[in-house]
PDB file of all heavy atoms in Angstrom:
ATOM      1  N   GLN T 366     -14.069  -3.675  -2.342  1.00  0.00           N
ATOM      2  CA  GLN T 366     -14.190  -4.455  -3.503  1.00  0.00           C
ATOM      3  C   GLN T 366     -15.701  -4.600  -4.114  1.00  0.00           C
ATOM      4  O   GLN T 366     -15.946  -4.695  -5.249  1.00  0.00           O
ATOM      5  CB  GLN T 366     -13.813  -5.906  -3.189  1.00  0.00           C
ATOM      6  CG  GLN T 366     -12.319  -6.060  -2.853  1.00  0.00           C
ATOM      7  CD  GLN T 366     -11.898  -7.443  -2.498  1.00  0.00           C
ATOM      8  OE1 GLN T 366     -12.664  -8.194  -1.779  1.00  0.00           O
ATOM      9  NE2 GLN T 366     -10.655  -7.943  -2.862  1.00  0.00           N
ATOM     10  N   ALA T 367     -16.616  -4.544  -3.134  1.00  0.00           N
ATOM     11  CA  ALA T 367     -18.056  -4.558  -3.582  1.00  0.00           C
ATOM     12  C   ALA T 367     -18.413  -3.330  -4.325  1.00  0.00           C
ATOM     13  O   ALA T 367     -19.248  -3.485  -5.259  1.00  0.00           O
ATOM     14  CB  ALA T 367     -18.972  -4.630  -2.214  1.00  0.00           C
ATOM     15  N   ARG T 368     -17.859  -2.260  -4.000  1.00  0.00           N
ATOM     16  CA  ARG T 368     -18.153  -0.976  -4.778  1.00  0.00           C
ATOM     17  C   ARG T 368     -17.474  -1.085  -6.169  1.00  0.00           C
ATOM     18  O   ARG T 368     -18.143  -0.653  -7.158  1.00  0.00           O
ATOM     19  CB  ARG T 368     -17.554   0.351  -4.025  1.00  0.00           C
ATOM     20  CG  ARG T 368     -17.921   1.564  -4.843  1.00  0.00           C
ATOM     21  CD  ARG T 368     -17.466   2.761  -4.030  1.00  0.00           C
ATOM     22  NE  ARG T 368     -18.496   3.139  -3.059  1.00  0.00           N
ATOM     23  CZ  ARG T 368     -18.312   2.846  -1.729  1.00  0.00           C
ATOM     24  NH1 ARG T 368     -17.095   2.385  -1.245  1.00  0.00           N
ATOM     25  NH2 ARG T 368     -19.166   3.155  -0.814  1.00  0.00           N
ATOM     26  N   ARG T 369     -16.279  -1.627  -6.246  1.00  0.00           N
ATOM     27  CA  ARG T 369     -15.560  -1.739  -7.540  1.00  0.00           C
ATOM     28  C   ARG T 369     -16.381  -2.952  -8.465  1.00  0.00           C
ATOM     29  O   ARG T 369     -16.271  -2.745  -9.681  1.00  0.00           O
ATOM     30  CB  ARG T 369     -14.137  -2.285  -7.345  1.00  0.00           C
ATOM     31  CG  ARG T 369     -13.349  -1.190  -6.638  1.00  0.00           C
ATOM     32  CD  ARG T 369     -11.899  -1.716  -6.201  1.00  0.00           C
ATOM     33  NE  ARG T 369     -11.016  -1.922  -7.219  1.00  0.00           N
ATOM     34  CZ  ARG T 369     -10.065  -1.101  -7.512  1.00  0.00           C
ATOM     35  NH1 ARG T 369      -9.769  -0.078  -6.614  1.00  0.00           N
ATOM     36  NH2 ARG T 369      -9.202  -1.301  -8.507  1.00  0.00           N
ATOM     37  N   SER T 370     -16.982  -3.758  -7.780  1.00  0.00           N
ATOM     38  CA  SER T 370     -17.572  -4.960  -8.424  1.00  0.00           C
ATOM     39  C   SER T 370     -19.060  -4.892  -8.456  1.00  0.00           C
ATOM     40  O   SER T 370     -19.745  -5.717  -9.111  1.00  0.00           O
ATOM     41  CB  SER T 370     -17.239  -6.260  -7.830  1.00  0.00           C
ATOM     42  OG  SER T 370     -15.778  -6.408  -7.808  1.00  0.00           O
ATOM     43  N   SER T 371     -19.713  -3.755  -7.854  1.00  0.00           N
ATOM     44  CA  SER T 371     -21.200  -3.713  -7.857  1.00  0.00           C
ATOM     45  C   SER T 371     -21.800  -4.857  -7.255  1.00  0.00           C
ATOM     46  O   SER T 371     -22.619  -5.526  -7.883  1.00  0.00           O
ATOM     47  CB  SER T 371     -21.719  -3.207  -9.159  1.00  0.00           C
ATOM     48  OG  SER T 371     -23.083  -2.810  -9.175  1.00  0.00           O
ATOM     49  N   ILE T 372     -21.430  -5.163  -5.984  1.00  0.00           N
ATOM     50  CA  ILE T 372     -22.161  -6.346  -5.313  1.00  0.00           C
ATOM     51  C   ILE T 372     -22.889  -5.734  -4.165  1.00  0.00           C
ATOM     52  O   ILE T 372     -22.298  -5.194  -3.252  1.00  0.00           O
ATOM     53  CB  ILE T 372     -21.079  -7.349  -4.841  1.00  0.00           C
ATOM     54  CG1 ILE T 372     -20.106  -7.684  -5.989  1.00  0.00           C
ATOM     55  CG2 ILE T 372     -21.831  -8.559  -4.302  1.00  0.00           C
ATOM     56  CD1 ILE T 372     -19.016  -8.527  -5.588  1.00  0.00           C
ATOM     57  N   ARG T 373     -24.156  -5.881  -4.158  1.00  0.00           N
ATOM     58  CA  ARG T 373     -25.066  -5.384  -3.082  1.00  0.00           C
ATOM     59  C   ARG T 373     -25.896  -6.350  -2.420  1.00  0.00           C
ATOM     60  O   ARG T 373     -26.058  -7.459  -2.812  1.00  0.00           O
ATOM     61  CB  ARG T 373     -25.877  -4.283  -3.893  1.00  0.00           C
ATOM     62  CG  ARG T 373     -25.101  -3.107  -4.394  1.00  0.00           C
ATOM     63  CD  ARG T 373     -25.934  -2.377  -5.456  1.00  0.00           C
ATOM     64  NE  ARG T 373     -26.057  -3.184  -6.647  1.00  0.00           N
ATOM     65  CZ  ARG T 373     -26.881  -2.953  -7.691  1.00  0.00           C
ATOM     66  NH1 ARG T 373     -27.736  -1.918  -7.640  1.00  0.00           N
ATOM     67  NH2 ARG T 373     -26.896  -3.868  -8.696  1.00  0.00           N
ATOM     68  N   THR T 374     -26.557  -5.883  -1.346  1.00  0.00           N
ATOM     69  CA  THR T 374     -27.552  -6.570  -0.612  1.00  0.00           C
ATOM     70  C   THR T 374     -28.651  -5.580  -0.291  1.00  0.00           C
ATOM     71  O   THR T 374     -28.595  -4.437  -0.732  1.00  0.00           O
ATOM     72  CB  THR T 374     -26.942  -7.323   0.526  1.00  0.00           C
ATOM     73  OG1 THR T 374     -27.986  -8.157   1.111  1.00  0.00           O
ATOM     74  CG2 THR T 374     -26.449  -6.388   1.586  1.00  0.00           C
ATOM     75  N   LYS T 375     -29.635  -5.979   0.674  1.00  0.00           N
ATOM     76  CA  LYS T 375     -30.666  -5.061   1.065  1.00  0.00           C
ATOM     77  C   LYS T 375     -30.469  -4.825   2.546  1.00  0.00           C
ATOM     78  O   LYS T 375     -30.067  -5.590   3.315  1.00  0.00           O
ATOM     79  CB  LYS T 375     -32.059  -5.780   0.839  1.00  0.00           C
ATOM     80  CG  LYS T 375     -32.390  -6.204  -0.535  1.00  0.00           C
ATOM     81  CD  LYS T 375     -32.814  -4.899  -1.364  1.00  0.00           C
ATOM     82  CE  LYS T 375     -33.280  -5.274  -2.736  1.00  0.00           C
ATOM     83  NZ  LYS T 375     -33.727  -4.144  -3.604  1.00  0.00           N
ATOM     84  N   ASP T 376     -30.782  -3.576   3.028  1.00  0.00           N
ATOM     85  CA  ASP T 376     -30.735  -3.256   4.379  1.00  0.00           C
ATOM     86  C   ASP T 376     -32.223  -3.603   5.027  1.00  0.00           C
ATOM     87  O   ASP T 376     -32.981  -4.141   4.330  1.00  0.00           O
ATOM     88  CB  ASP T 376     -30.424  -1.837   4.631  1.00  0.00           C
ATOM     89  CG  ASP T 376     -31.420  -0.737   4.032  1.00  0.00           C
ATOM     90  OD1 ASP T 376     -32.535  -1.271   3.730  1.00  0.00           O
ATOM     91  OD2 ASP T 376     -31.054   0.399   3.958  1.00  0.00           O
ATOM     92  N   ASN T 377     -32.342  -3.145   6.270  1.00  0.00           N
ATOM     93  CA  ASN T 377     -33.617  -3.519   6.975  1.00  0.00           C
ATOM     94  C   ASN T 377     -34.831  -2.863   6.121  1.00  0.00           C
ATOM     95  O   ASN T 377     -35.904  -3.351   6.359  1.00  0.00           O
ATOM     96  CB  ASN T 377     -33.660  -3.106   8.375  1.00  0.00           C
ATOM     97  CG  ASN T 377     -32.717  -3.966   9.149  1.00  0.00           C
ATOM     98  OD1 ASN T 377     -32.555  -5.194   8.823  1.00  0.00           O
ATOM     99  ND2 ASN T 377     -32.092  -3.391  10.137  1.00  0.00           N
ATOM    100  N   ASN T 378     -34.674  -1.794   5.487  1.00  0.00           N
ATOM    101  CA  ASN T 378     -35.726  -1.084   4.802  1.00  0.00           C
ATOM    102  C   ASN T 378     -35.769  -1.510   3.382  1.00  0.00           C
ATOM    103  O   ASN T 378     -36.468  -0.788   2.633  1.00  0.00           O
ATOM    104  CB  ASN T 378     -35.384   0.469   5.009  1.00  0.00           C
ATOM    105  CG  ASN T 378     -35.420   0.827   6.391  1.00  0.00           C
ATOM    106  OD1 ASN T 378     -36.267   0.410   7.146  1.00  0.00           O
ATOM    107  ND2 ASN T 378     -34.478   1.765   6.713  1.00  0.00           N
ATOM    108  N   LYS T 379     -35.096  -2.553   2.937  1.00  0.00           N
ATOM    109  CA  LYS T 379     -35.119  -3.176   1.615  1.00  0.00           C
ATOM    110  C   LYS T 379     -34.520  -2.137   0.579  1.00  0.00           C
ATOM    111  O   LYS T 379     -34.813  -2.229  -0.527  1.00  0.00           O
ATOM    112  CB  LYS T 379     -36.551  -3.543   1.125  1.00  0.00           C
ATOM    113  CG  LYS T 379     -37.198  -4.561   2.030  1.00  0.00           C
ATOM    114  CD  LYS T 379     -38.604  -4.998   1.628  1.00  0.00           C
ATOM    115  CE  LYS T 379     -39.100  -6.131   2.495  1.00  0.00           C
ATOM    116  NZ  LYS T 379     -40.443  -6.571   1.868  1.00  0.00           N
TER     117      LYS T 379
END
Side-chain angles (χ1 to χ4, degrees):
Q366 293 176 324
R368 181 173 285 106
R369 296 168 78 105
S370 302
S371 188
I372 310 172
R373 295 157 291 166
T374 188
K375 301 281 187 180
D376 63 12
N377 288 327
N378 299 316
K379 297 184 179 181

